Amino acid sequence: MSRPHVDVDVAAIEANARTIVELCAGHGIEVMGVTKGAFGLPEVAAAMVRGGVSSLGDSRLEHLEGLRAAGLGVPLALLRPPSWADVERVVDTVDLTFQTELATIERLGSAAGAIGRVHDVIVMVDLGDRREGILPEAMPALTDRVEETPGIRLVGVATNLSCFTGLAPTQENMGQLVELAEAVERRHGRRLTWVSGGSSSALELLSSGAMPSRIDQLRVGEAILLGRETLHHRPWPGTVSNAFVLRAEVVEVRHRPPAPEGLRGDRTFARASEPAGEAGLRALVAVGRADVDVEGLTPLDLGHRILGGTSDYLVVDVSDAEQPVAVGDVASYRLDYGALVSAMGSRSVDVLLAHDGERAHS
Ligand SMILES: *Cc1c(COP(=O)(O)O)cnc(C)c1O
């Protein structure tokens, strides 16, 4: 039996990246390609670079170490504040980090100084999403200290929206970011390189023409990887959604009668989407919760309907399948962001580069 695998179409990722880069370039914005959704796969990062992103960002140091080793020729950024245990590796591996805590910045500065480097830092500010970032009123006090920290150069401010509470990027909150950046510039008498305005959720604001012109960077993952903006998860024009496709084998096909009446206890997987007690033609597909976040899968085979997932199976109703389904067939699924991350990081899911059948990792 073939293992579950993700087919990765690197040409589609490159084309998606080019679409986003050209859109942003028209508004004076550079794109940092965010690779964490693809678990930092260097081939995906390389496709983004060919598509024109000017830097790469990831939340995980191990991914960035892989990208550094791949020698992609663009600056690398760590998006998540690092563990103190990792500061030496961070300053050695990445060019830039996004930071929110002075104590961490000071440790990065000492580690950078120890190897004769200066480490670039962008300070993250929380403009209402309530995930990471300092509060706006704390900005002057923090940047005063950062400016005095040996081994550190403050190169920008950034915010992250739409992630935790789903707050949308608007002309107002982007304007607030610009004002904060300009206040920092006045205070320290120099221009910041980056005013980094957000992620795939900012694309609608950008294309509506309402993005303040001082915003000069977006950090874009999902729109490049999965072809969607993330405010409403609408397909983004000029991008495709099938750069990543999960495939797994059908291991059983059987017509099942309705579930008998009887005493019922808890179900092992209570989140399974439907009790699925009705009759129908069912396929068992050999991929489950132990492999991937099954809630984020959408069948690409017409007429297939996922009834639920257990640790090792998807239970799929194929009564209305357009093509007959047989044991040994391979079923295909589109992934949402959560499913993508889980599949790409899964030890039981192979990753295949679609064009040459090459195995990227297993
Ligand atoms: C993941 C991440 C991004 C990219 O978000 P997408 O929705 O995938 O575009 C941008 N910025 C930060 C800080 C992130 O952690």
Side-chain angles (χ1 to χ4, degrees):
M1 190 182 77
S2 75
R3 279 158 52 95
H5 58 274
V6 179
D7 279 327
V8 184
D9 182 346
V10 290
I13 294 163
E14 177 180 339
N16 283 358
R18 188 165 292 118
T19 297
I20 301 298
V21 165
E22 284 172 2
L23 168 71
C24 289
H27 295 81
I29 288 180
E30 289 194 16
V31 176
M32 173 179 286
V34 175
T35 51
K36 68 187 190 217
F39 229 65
L41 192 68
E43 289 84 351
V44 168
M48 289 184 176
V49 172
R50 289 194 299 276
V53 306
S54 43
S55 58
L56 292 165
D58 200 289
S59 50
R60 309 244 165 191
L61 181 56
E62 311 83 74
H63 298 171
L64 290 159
E65 287 174 333
L67 299 186
R68 176 62 70 206
L72 298 167
V74 296
L76 301 180
L78 179 65
L79 295 171
R80 186 173 66 172
S83 156
W84 287 358
D86 291 336
V87 292
E88 281 86 10
R89 284 164 63 203
V90 170
V91 297
D92 196 34
T93 305
V94 308
D95 304 284
L96 171 70
T97 57
F98 290 76
Q99 298 299 337
T100 62
E101 294 284 355
L102 182 64
T104 304
I105 295 170
E106 288 173 344
R107 278 173 168 74
L108 287 164
S110 325
I115 57 170
R117 292 202 194 157
V118 175
H119 183 73
D120 286 352
V121 162
I122 291 181
V123 171
M124 290 286 262
V125 55
D126 176 7
L127 294 179
D129 193 52
R130 302 293 180 251
R131 191 178 77 172
E132 77 270 58
I134 64 162
L135 297 177
E137 52 274 25
M139 188 67 107
L142 179 72
T143 61
D144 283 356
R145 300 289 300 275
V146 173
E147 282 288 283
E148 294 162 0
T149 306
I152 294 292
R153 177 168 54 204
L154 176 67
V155 295
V157 297
T159 195
N160 199 48
L161 295 168
S162 318
C163 242
F164 187 54
T165 61
L167 191 73
T170 58
Q171 197 163 22
E172 289 68 43
N173 53 35
M174 289 295 110
Q176 201 188 347
L177 181 66
V178 170
E179 274 169 31
L180 281 165
E182 289 175 346
V184 170
E185 290 176 333
R186 281 194 300 276
R187 195 171 178 93
H188 303 296
R190 62 191 180 80
R191 194 173 159 87
L192 295 173
T193 315
W194 300 115
V195 184
S196 184
S199 65
S200 302
S201 70
L203 293 174
E204 281 190 354
L205 184 72
L206 178 75
S207 60
S208 77
M211 184 68 90
S213 61
R214 184 63 212 281
I215 303 289
D216 54 18
Q217 182 187 72
L218 290 184
R219 311 172 305 272
V220 182
E222 185 155 349
I224 296 175
L225 299 171
L226 297 177
R228 308 195 290 193
E229 55 80 36
T230 53
L231 196 55
H232 308 289
H233 289 96
R234 296 193 187 116
W236 191 257
T239 63
V240 297
S241 64
N242 60 353
F244 298 85
V245 175
L246 176 73
R247 298 191 206 278
E249 199 167 315
V250 175
V251 293
E252 188 185 322
V253 182
R254 185 154 287 123
H255 188 85
R256 296 205 177 275
E261 293 299 316
L263 188 64
R264 298 209 194 284
D266 292 342
R267 292 184 293 151
T268 309
F269 291 99
R271 283 192 306 153
S273 40
E274 296 176 37
E278 79 274 29
L281 185 65
R282 299 281 170 69
L284 281 188
V285 179
V287 65
R289 291 171 193 272
D291 309 298
V292 56
D293 175 9
V294 298
E295 314 290 339
L297 301 179
T298 306
L300 288 169
D301 302 293
L302 294 176
H304 287 216
R305 191 162 57 98
I306 297 176
L307 299 176
T310 63
S311 12
D312 307 295
Y313 296 116
L314 286 180
V315 180
V316 184
D317 184 86
V318 293
S319 308
D320 301 323
E322 222 159 73
Q323 302 291 326
V325 181
V327 172
D329 286 355
V330 172
S332 301
Y333 301 91
R334 198 174 48 229
L335 305 109
D336 74 6
Y337 198 79
L340 178 66
V341 180
S342 65
M344 296 299 285
S346 173
R347 278 190 288 155
S348 52
V349 177
D350 291 340
V351 175
L352 306 181
L353 299 182
H355 281 313
D356 47 14
E358 179 194 336
R359 177 164 297 197
H361 79 208
S362 56

